[in-house]
Amino acid sequence: MPDNPAFSLDELCTLSDTPKRTARYYIQIGLVDGPVGSTKAAHYLPKHLDQLLKIKQLSQAGVSLERIGEVLSGEAPPVPPRQRKPGSVEVRSHLFIADGVELE
């Protein structure tokens, strides 16, 4: 692997287990930095992957996107999530934004 790997959007989304539409939405609202370059030459760096993984971690812990934005911009992180135990119940939100755009 090169010292500074570059990822396509497909690779970035596969590595972070994030739908492409969700990744694009996070870029649009400023939670994830935009790609390096434009059009077909656009690529993503490990920092983009780190951002998506942090968003996923906080989101799964029930932190709102607004608060995630605050945390990513340097504010103190929220209380760490409790460890899940076998048999525990987890509630998730599914947000319909527009046709074909949903957040989980």
Side-chain angles (χ1 to χ4, degrees):
M1 183 183 271
D3 289 339
N4 293 314
F7 310 111
S8 67
L9 181 60
D10 285 334
E11 292 169 327
L12 180 72
C13 291
T14 298
L15 290 169
S16 64
D17 192 29
T18 303
K20 285 197 291 188
R21 290 178 187 228
T22 301
R24 287 186 187 114
Y25 177 70
Y26 290 160
I27 292 167
Q28 179 185 357
I29 64 172
L31 290 180
V32 174
D33 295 336
V36 177
S38 59
T39 63
K40 291 187 179 192
H43 62 277
Y44 299 85
L45 304 172
K47 74 173 184 170
H48 296 99
L49 178 59
D50 292 341
Q51 290 170 333
L52 280 174
L53 292 174
K54 184 69 171 178
I55 292 167
K56 186 174 190 119
Q57 175 192 26
L58 293 171
S59 182
Q60 287 177 341
V63 180
S64 70
L65 289 181
E66 180 181 3
R67 181 67 180 125
I68 290 172
E70 294 168 356
V71 170
L72 292 177
S73 67
E75 290 193 24
V79 176
R82 291 185 193 171
Q83 293 296 321
R84 294 187 321 187
K85 296 179 183 175
S88 64
V89 176
E90 184 176 291
V91 177
R92 295 183 181 234
S93 297
H94 190 89
L95 176 63
F96 175 80
I97 298 170
D99 280 340
V101 180
E102 299 178 18
L103 288 177
E104 205 176 298

